[in-house]
Amino acid sequence: LLGLFADFSPNVLDVIDAEGAWAGGGYLGCWDCDVRLAQMDREGVAAELVYPGDPRALSPLSPQFRPLTQDVVAAGVRAYNRWAADTFGSARDRILLVGDPGSQPEIGDALAELDWMADHGFAGAYVPGYFHREDTPPPHDRFWDPFWSRLIHHGIPAVVHAGYDQRQCEFLTGVESLRKTMEAEGRSDLLAEIINNADKFFSKDMRPRRAMWNLMLGGVFDRHPDLRLLMTEVRGDWLPGTLRHLDQVFERGGEEIAATRKPSDIWREHCLMSLSFVHKAEVGMRHELGVETVFFGRDYPHAEGTWPNTADWIRDAFAGVSEPELRMMLGENAIRVLGLDRERLRTVAERIGPVPADFVGPRRPLDPRLLANWDARGGYLKDPERVDHDELDDLLRDDLYLRR
C-alpha cells in the first residue's frame, strides 16, 4: 500500500525528493524511532502526533484487512499500543502517541487500557467506535461517561480521525469493487481513479463529522466540561458552514437535544482541528475557522501528506500570514490544548529550527511541477467544500435521538 495514493516514479521523485528523503528510506520512520526523529529534525518538526493506521505499522489483527471478532480486534489493539510504546517511548516528549482503548470488549477493559496508555505517555485516545460496533451504544450515550471522566482525569484529549465509524474491511472492499468495475470497462488505471475519487473515500466521509456533532448535541461536553476533542485529517473547510447550521438546529431546540450550549461555542471552548496536509484555501479561511482552534499537521509518512516538502509547503500555504497567527497555527494551539511541555519543545526548536523569518519573509518561487504534485497527492489547491444543507439535515434527522 506504500504507493497506493501517489506516483513515485523517477521523474516525480526528481521534483519532490531533491534531498533524497524518499529515496533514502525516510518513510521507514513509521516504525523506526531514529529515522522518524531524523526526518522531524530535517523538516523542523519539534513534536507530532502519531496515529495507528499506516499499513507498514498497523495492529497485527486489524479489521481494516479482514473480518475479526471484537476480542481479537482488542488483542491486536493492545499489541499495537505496546509495540508503539516500546518503539517510540524513548522520545515521547516529541513523538505523541494516540491509541484506541475504546476497541476493548467491555467498558472496564477500555478504562484499564486507557489507564495503561496514560501510564506510558500516550497523548490522545480515539473516540470509541473507530471501527463500527453493533455491541455498544453510540459515543454520546451515558454508557461512555466513565470513559470521558477517565480521559479528563489523565489529561488526555479525545480524538476523531479520518475513517471513523468505518466497517470492517470497508476501504479495501471499496477498492476491490472499483477494480472489478474498471476491469469490466477495460481500464487499468486504478491508482489514478482512487486519487481522483479521494473525496468519496476519505475527506467527504460524513461519519467523523457526525461523531463531532453527536458529542456536542448529545450533551457530552455539558456533562464533562473539561473534555477536549481533537479532529484530525478530516479537512476544515466544511466546519464554519456546518457549525452555523448546527447552531440553527440548537436554537430551534427540541426535547431530543441534550446540549445547553451552541455547537459553535462548544467548538471554540473544547475543540481543535488538525489541518493535516493543509490546503491553501483553509489557510485563507483561518479567521472563519478560528485561528485559535486549528493547527498544522504533515501526515508523515503518507504520500498525500506534506513530507518530504513540509518547509516549502508551509512557506507557500501560509504566505502573508502574520507571525502571531503563524505561531498559533504551527505550535501554540497544540501546546495549549494538548498540554505539551513548552520549554522542552522550545529547546528542541532552537536546535533544529526553523525561525519565523523563514516563513514570514520573502519566499522563493516554487517549481510549478511541485505545486501540481501537491495538488494531485493532497488536494492542495482545491476550492473550499460547500456544505450540502439538505444532506446535513437528513443526517441530523437520523441523529436526533441524542438525549440519553
Side-chain angles (χ1 to χ4, degrees):
L1 292 180
L2 173 59
L4 185 59
F5 302 111
D7 175 8
F8 296 119
S9 56
N11 61 312
V12 171
L13 287 179
D14 284 344
V15 175
I16 70 171
D17 198 30
E19 298 180 12
W22 266 105
Y27 54 84
L28 297 177
C30 64
W31 54 264
D32 186 303
C33 185
D34 291 338
V35 173
R36 188 174 202 114
L37 289 171
Q39 290 303 315
M40 291 170 68
D41 289 355
R42 186 184 74 83
E43 295 204 305
V45 177
E48 66 184 359
L49 292 152
V50 177
Y51 305 94
D54 190 286
R56 294 154 294 187
L58 191 68
S59 162
L61 299 169
S62 173
Q64 184 171 346
F65 299 113
R66 50 188 167 173
L68 300 167
T69 61
Q70 196 60 41
D71 60 335
V72 173
V73 172
V77 168
R78 294 193 301 273
Y80 170 85
N81 287 344
R82 281 142 188 80
W83 168 83
D86 288 345
T87 301
F88 298 113
S90 62
R92 68 187 196 181
D93 56 336
R94 298 187 61 189
I95 299 177
L96 312 174
L97 298 174
V98 177
D100 180 21
S103 282
Q104 300 308 305
E106 305 291 342
I107 184 65
D109 300 323
L111 296 178
E113 186 64 11
L114 181 53
D115 290 342
W116 185 93
M117 289 166 52
D119 289 342
H120 289 78
F122 277 62
Y126 278 172
V127 169
Y130 182 79
F131 282 100
H132 182 80
R133 297 177 62 178
E134 299 288 354
D135 61 336
T136 58
H140 56 271
D141 192 282
R142 290 181 181 273
F143 172 88
W144 292 108
D145 279 357
F147 185 84
W148 311 123
S149 295
R150 194 68 60 91
L151 280 179
I152 294 167
H153 171 76
H154 289 307
I156 294 177
V159 177
V160 171
H161 191 283
Y164 179 84
D165 198 33
Q166 63 188 296
R167 269 59 174 175
Q168 293 194 11
C169 307
E170 178 180 328
F171 173 67
L172 291 186
T173 300
V175 171
E176 179 63 13
S177 175
L178 180 62
R179 183 188 65 79
K180 290 180 178 179
T181 298
M182 292 176 64
E183 282 184 352
E185 297 172 350
R187 299 172 56 197
S188 60
D189 53 335
L190 178 62
L191 173 60
E193 190 69 12
I194 292 172
I195 293 172
N196 291 335
N197 287 278
D199 281 348
K200 180 178 70 176
F201 280 105
F202 295 111
S203 61
K204 286 189 179 178
D205 185 346
M206 300 290 282
R207 288 171 293 184
R209 310 178 192 185
R210 208 167 181 175
M212 178 197 77
W213 72 62
N214 283 345
L215 293 175
M216 290 174 168
L217 296 176
V220 173
F221 292 101
D222 294 284
R223 300 195 300 272
H224 304 278
D226 293 322
L227 182 66
R228 294 165 292 155
L229 175 67
L230 169 63
M231 304 285 289
T232 187
E233 208 172 330
V234 294
R235 306 268 44 96
D237 49 7
W238 55 271
L239 183 64
T242 298
L243 287 177
R244 286 193 292 270
H245 198 77
L246 294 176
D247 282 353
Q248 294 173 3
V249 172
F250 172 81
E251 295 291 353
R252 289 197 297 268
E255 64 179 12
E256 306 92 343
I257 296 176
T260 62
R261 291 173 291 161
K262 294 190 300 183
S264 60
D265 291 338
I266 293 172
W267 176 262
R268 285 190 297 271
E269 294 171 21
H270 296 270
C271 304
L272 189 65
M273 177 71 77
S274 171
L275 297 175
S276 192
F277 54 100
V278 65
H279 293 174
K280 200 170 181 67
E282 290 171 326
V283 177
M285 297 174 66
R286 63 190 182 278
H287 297 126
E288 193 177 2
L289 285 163
V291 175
E292 73 285 354
T293 69
V294 297
F295 75 106
F296 173 84
R298 63 177 186 152
D299 197 30
Y300 167 90
H302 287 184
E304 68 271 28
T306 68
W307 180 82
N309 314 122
T310 299
D312 282 334
W313 194 304
I314 291 174
R315 287 188 192 98
D316 191 77
F318 291 87
V321 174
S322 68
E323 181 176 330
E325 291 183 347
L326 191 65
R327 286 181 177 276
M328 291 172 69
M329 292 186 286
L330 296 186
E332 295 293 341
N333 292 337
I335 289 171
R336 184 187 73 252
V337 173
L338 300 177
L340 306 181
D341 186 334
R342 178 188 300 276
E343 291 309 311
R344 168 62 182 154
L345 293 178
R346 185 195 302 277
T347 300
V348 175
E350 288 174 349
R351 176 175 63 83
I352 67 175
V355 297
D358 293 330
F359 297 119
V360 299
R363 56 190 176 92
R364 65 181 183 273
L366 291 177
D367 186 334
R369 296 176 301 166
L370 187 60
L371 289 172
N373 176 270
W374 294 352
D375 192 40
R377 79 190 203 213
Y380 178 64
L381 300 175
K382 291 180 66 172
D383 291 331
E385 179 186 333
R386 295 185 62 182
V387 176
D388 185 331
H389 289 172
D390 291 336
E391 180 183 13
L392 187 53
D393 280 334
D394 287 342
L395 294 173
L396 285 166
R397 276 191 287 271
D398 289 340
D399 287 339
L400 288 182
Y401 53 89
L402 298 174
R403 184 175 291 279
R404 295 200 177 201

